[in-house]
Every structure is written in structure tokens, then in C-alpha cells.
Amino acid sequence: MASLLRAAATWGLFPWRGYCSRGTQGKLSKDFVETLKAVVGSPHVSTAASVLEQHGHDESMHRCQPPDVVVWPQNVEQVSQLAALCYGQKVPIIPFGTGTGLEGGVCAVQGGVCINLTHMDRILELNPEDFSVVVEPGVTRKVLNTYVRDSGLWFPVDPGADASLCGMAATGASGTNTVRYGTMRDNVLNLEVVLPDGRLLHTAGQSRHFRKSAAGYNLTGLFVGSEGTLGLITAATLRLHPVPEAIVAATCAFPSVQAAVDSTIHILQAAVPVARIEFLDDVMMDACNRYSNLNCSVAPTLFLEFHGSKQALAEQLQRTEEIAQYNGASHFSWAKEAEQRRQLWMARHNAWYAILALRPGCKGYSTDICVPISRLPEILVQTKEDLKASGLTGAIVGHVGDGNFHCLLLVDPEDADEIHRVEVFAHQLGRRALALRGTCTGEHGIGLGKRQLLPEEVGTVGMETMRQLKATLDPRGLMNPGKML
């Protein structure tokens, strides 16, 4: 065992005999598992069937594919040792955060070692004057915002789930505030990454947290959205924002999908600095009313939020209401108190669970296309018609301020025909988005579910370039195999 640990430090000299009984997939040897325990301690290693199953799936409809063992490192040094051990023995590595992904990104398609990073949950450094913070992978969005609340700052990227911040970086997440504050790509300043062979990389240089740089390649951008296929993110330096002086939310119902989306475009064209602008169709509104005890009209609806000074908000609200009324809006309702806003956005964030509640026992599948704003009315109206024609149970909800929306589809996991129809619908929608010069995934990532669409989106040379980058950083193909490429 001691020799294994010494050898891991110089993986290039490591013998090529593997510790998997069936190539790269299968039960790991007891000796290898004991070596993992020597690194992180026996309490932090598990081969229990229930634990493996828990780590073999996320919240998507992709079937569970469990790893062979789960380990919980306590610090970056242990992560580095674990990576070097796995690299030397050709054992696949699957990073794991909170498991809230929607594209099967944590499924262990070749078995291997699942590295659960949630025990690394420290906020390492807060720099209020520089509007930055450094967090470990176990820190979630809500925990961070509670921690920085008294500094007058907050982290606005809000995907709905209380996801781990490093996991959000790994998937290139965004959410309801994107139209005002940007995605994770816009809010990650630096990353600490353990490479597949155990080496430690700081993508913008160690301890640096500048706002801009023209020095070398953008390595931070390379790892944001890499979905665990290039390395393990063990710390992220994030950009913080001032808490706005005043916040007001609103809802307004429309006579049609077209009217709601037209209002969205007109609001953006009028340069109203809206912080959130979310679309929910009639099916989604009915589900939210039932699940979250709302009393909203069952009609295509916009949820909006505005941030700024009280004087600025008064002007924004007046202009927005004028635009909405011009497009036929009704039941315009303002939510100025914190509790009212909380209830409204809680309902929006629980939309996934609200739609699942319509057919208990079913699984959910979420599409994730994003198109140029000008093409949004066309694709949303067509998608609504396609959804009705398909006979599937589903709803449309989305971050229409940045052209991104989701079809939340319900599927009986025992009904092969329904599963097939969901797959056909999703791929058809993805290809329609590509035809309109959009993307097949605005924020969920490629994972397992969208691999067929990625070559159509980026082209042959794009795929070749990605594969070359992957081969350079992970020549043995051990980091989260089977995903993306």
C-alpha cells in the first residue's frame, strides 16, 4: 500500500497493471480500496450499494450507473493524491457535488471512483473591497449568500437548485438573474483545478483575482463548462455584486405566448435594466398554483424583478407596465415586500417539482435550448404547438430575457413508447434551435443526453479541437468518461 502511494507521486513511472477486474469497469481490488482509505481515512470511503446508487444518478431521467467506490476527500492535497492513484491505475474518476444536474453528468458509465467534494466546504477568502470570494466545492449558493450578507454583497447566479458553486462552474450554469448579471462564465475569476494526473493548476495564477487580463490563453474559460472531463475543480474565485438598494417583483398574464414573448423583447429593446424576466406557460402556471399555493391566472405569464434605487425602480415599473399593457397584459401585480417576492420566486424555482406532481411516479426530462432573442417568438410558439401535437404531458418555462427556455416533460420510465417520443421531441427541438443559430443547451450542459447534437452545433473542426484539448489534459481518458465528447 505504501508503495502505491509513493508511486502515485510519480505516476509516469507507475506500472500499467490495473486494479479493475474487468478492464476499466468492474469491481476494484481490495488493495486499491485500502489505498484510497489510506489517503482519506476509512470513514470517508464507501462501497455500500445504497451509497453507490445515490452517486450513480442526478435529477435527470438517465438511468443510474453507479461507481465502484465513493470517496470524500477533506482537502486539495487528498484530491491530488486520489487523482494520481486513479491515473496510475487507469481507474475512471467522476467528480460529484450536490447531484442536482439534469444531463446525467455524474453517471459512472465505466465504473471507477466517485470523488464527492462536499466535505470541502470552506469559504477560504473574502475580499469585499475587490468584490471577490474564494470557495471550496462543498459551498453552495445559499450558504455563500448567507455568509456575505453583512458585507452588502451577494452572488447572483441562481439556477434554482441550491447547487454547489464549483459544480455550477463545471457545468457553466446560469439561471433567473442572467439577463442582468450574466452566467457563471461571467462571474468566475479563477479556478483551482486538480488535473487528471494529480498536478495542481491555478487557471489565472495562484491567489489572483483581477477583473481582466490579456495574459496568455483563457484557461479559466476552458474549465468553466468542462463538466468534469478535464479535471476536478477544488476552489473557485467568484465575482460578487453589491446588494441593490431596492427590489420589486411583478407578474403579468398575457392572452398568448406570442404576446408574452413580444413584451419581453420590447422591454429589452427599451433598455429597461430588468434583473429577471421569466416565462411560464398556462400548464406551468396551473402546476405552480397547485404546488405552491399561488392564485395566479392560468395563462402565459411573465415573472419579472427589478433592482436599483427607489427612484430608478419607479421609472422602470412604469415603462414595463406600459409595454405589457400594449401587448395585452392583464392581472398586472407588483410584489414589493420581501415575503411576497420570496413566495413568487420560490414557486418559480419549484417549477420542476410542480410539474412532476402532475403525474406522480413519472420522471422528468428538461430541454434546454437557447436562441437569439429575435428568434424567440418563432421557436416558442412552434414548440407550444409541437408539445400539444405530441400528446406528451409537459410545460414551458424559461429565462426568456436571454433567449433560453425549457420544456419540462413527464415520462413514465416503464413506457418505452413514451420515452421514445420524449427523445424524438427533445432532439427535434434541439435541431430547430440550431437551425435558428442557437444552441442545444443554454445552461444544463451536454452530459449524456446531448452528445449527438454537439457535433452539429460546433462542427467537425470544433469537435476535433475539443478532442485534442481533452487528449492533452487527459490522455488516458479517465476524467468523467462518456460525457460531452
Side-chain angles (χ1 to χ4, degrees):
M1 187 184 304
S3 62
L4 276 175
L5 291 171
R6 287 194 298 271
T10 56
W11 58 265
L13 303 178
F14 206 95
W16 276 85
R17 60 188 181 89
Y19 275 81
C20 291
S21 60
R22 298 192 304 273
T24 58
Q25 184 175 18
K27 296 296 182 182
L28 299 175
S29 75
K30 292 183 179 179
D31 195 12
F32 186 79
V33 173
E34 289 302 313
T35 306
L36 298 178
K37 292 179 180 179
V39 173
V40 300
S42 294
H44 305 303
V45 177
S46 179
T47 55
S50 60
V51 174
L52 300 182
E53 181 178 353
Q54 176 190 352
H55 288 79
H57 66 89
D58 53 17
E59 295 196 19
S60 70
M61 62 181 284
H62 296 288
R63 67 181 179 87
C64 177
Q65 298 184 75
D68 296 309
V69 61
V70 178
V71 296
W72 287 264
Q74 310 300 300
N75 53 57
V76 64
E77 291 78 15
Q78 291 182 357
V79 176
S80 181
Q81 291 182 63
L82 292 170
L85 281 168
C86 292
Y87 191 81
Q89 293 303 303
K90 298 185 289 182
V91 176
I93 301 169
I94 304 93
F96 192 96
T98 54
T100 55
L102 293 170
E103 289 296 341
V106 299
C107 296
V109 297
Q110 295 180 15
V113 176
C114 174
I115 299 182
N116 185 319
L117 297 161
T118 55
H119 285 191
M120 296 172 59
D121 58 0
R122 294 177 298 164
I123 296 174
L124 299 173
E125 184 180 339
L126 175 62
N127 302 292
E129 298 85 358
D130 295 328
F131 299 91
S132 71
V133 66
V134 184
V135 300
E136 288 188 325
V139 179
T140 65
R141 175 181 59 86
K142 291 181 180 179
V143 167
L144 174 60
N145 279 328
T146 299
Y147 183 87
V148 302
R149 181 185 298 155
D150 293 340
S151 67
L153 302 172
W154 73 309
F155 185 72
V157 181
D158 180 2
D162 189 23
S164 63
L165 291 158
C166 289
M168 288 166 59
T171 57
S174 55
T176 57
N177 287 307
T178 299
V179 66
R180 175 73 174 267
Y181 298 98
T183 71
M184 286 299 290
R185 293 189 185 278
D186 305 301
N187 288 280
V188 176
L189 304 176
N190 198 353
L191 293 172
E192 178 186 81
V193 181
V194 172
L195 297 175
D197 57 18
R199 290 178 298 161
L200 190 63
L201 168 69
H202 295 90
T203 58
Q206 189 168 2
S207 301
R208 304 192 187 281
H209 52 269
F210 42 71
R211 285 297 186 90
K212 66 178 184 178
S213 170
Y217 295 120
N218 184 356
L219 296 180
T220 303
L222 175 62
F223 282 88
V224 174
S226 60
E227 301 184 34
T229 62
L230 301 179
L232 298 113
I233 298 174
T234 52
T237 303
L238 305 174
R239 178 183 179 186
L240 298 175
H241 298 257
V243 174
E245 174 189 331
I247 301 175
V248 175
T251 64
C252 50
F254 291 85
S256 67
V257 172
Q258 181 80 48
V261 181
D262 284 346
S263 286
T264 299
I265 293 176
H266 295 160
I267 289 168
L268 296 175
Q269 288 175 335
V272 177
V274 62
R276 308 192 207 200
I277 183 163
E278 298 287 297
F279 171 79
L280 298 85
D281 73 358
D282 55 337
V283 177
M284 192 72 259
M285 287 307 304
D286 184 45
C288 286
N289 281 344
R290 296 167 185 257
Y291 187 84
S292 299
N293 296 316
L294 297 183
N295 188 29
C296 296
S297 299
V298 179
T301 300
L302 291 180
F303 284 15
L304 306 101
E305 189 167 273
F306 305 87
H307 298 172
S309 67
K310 293 181 179 180
Q311 180 180 356
L313 287 189
E315 297 174 357
Q316 294 173 30
L317 299 178
Q318 180 182 354
R319 185 71 180 115
T320 300
E321 190 165 2
E322 290 172 354
I323 292 171
Q325 289 176 347
Y326 174 80
N327 286 286
S330 61
H331 304 287
F332 211 97
S333 175
W334 301 109
K336 297 183 179 180
E337 300 302 322
E339 179 56 28
Q340 290 177 300
R341 297 198 311 271
R342 188 200 66 78
Q343 183 182 17
L344 186 67
W345 292 111
M346 182 69 73
R348 167 60 186 90
H349 288 324
N350 285 335
W352 176 255
Y353 305 104
I355 200 70
L356 287 176
L358 294 180
R359 283 180 65 188
C362 286
K363 300 283 284 185
Y365 179 80
S366 175
T367 67
D368 180 39
I369 64 98
C370 184
V371 296
I373 297 292
S374 64
R375 311 308 296 268
L376 189 60
E378 174 185 349
I379 194 169
L380 256 177
V381 170
Q382 183 62 55
T383 300
K384 185 66 174 175
E385 294 175 359
D386 290 347
L387 188 54
K388 290 179 180 178
S390 71
L392 296 168
T393 300
I396 297 176
V397 60
H399 322 301
V400 287
D402 38 277
N404 181 205
F405 72 90
H406 314 295
C407 278
L408 308 184
L409 305 169
L410 295 178
V411 56
D412 181 350
E414 304 300 323
D415 187 336
D417 176 68
E418 190 168 56
I419 292 173
H420 176 70
R421 284 189 290 132
V422 166
E423 292 173 347
V424 169
F425 179 92
H427 281 281
Q428 178 184 359
L429 179 56
R431 289 194 169 94
R432 181 176 290 126
L434 297 181
L436 296 178
R437 300 184 180 181
T439 175
C440 65
T441 175
E443 57 187 7
H444 295 167
I446 296 295
L448 292 173
K450 296 187 174 71
R451 289 176 299 173
Q452 293 179 345
L453 293 173
L454 184 60
E456 298 179 33
E457 180 166 332
V458 303
T460 301
V461 176
M463 291 299 295
E464 290 174 352
T465 304
M466 289 185 190
R467 290 192 178 104
Q468 289 169 347
L469 288 168
K470 168 75 169 174
T472 298
L473 292 170
D474 183 20
R476 300 184 184 178
L478 299 176
M479 284 303 310
N480 210 8
K483 316 298 165 46
M484 191 181 299
L485 302 179

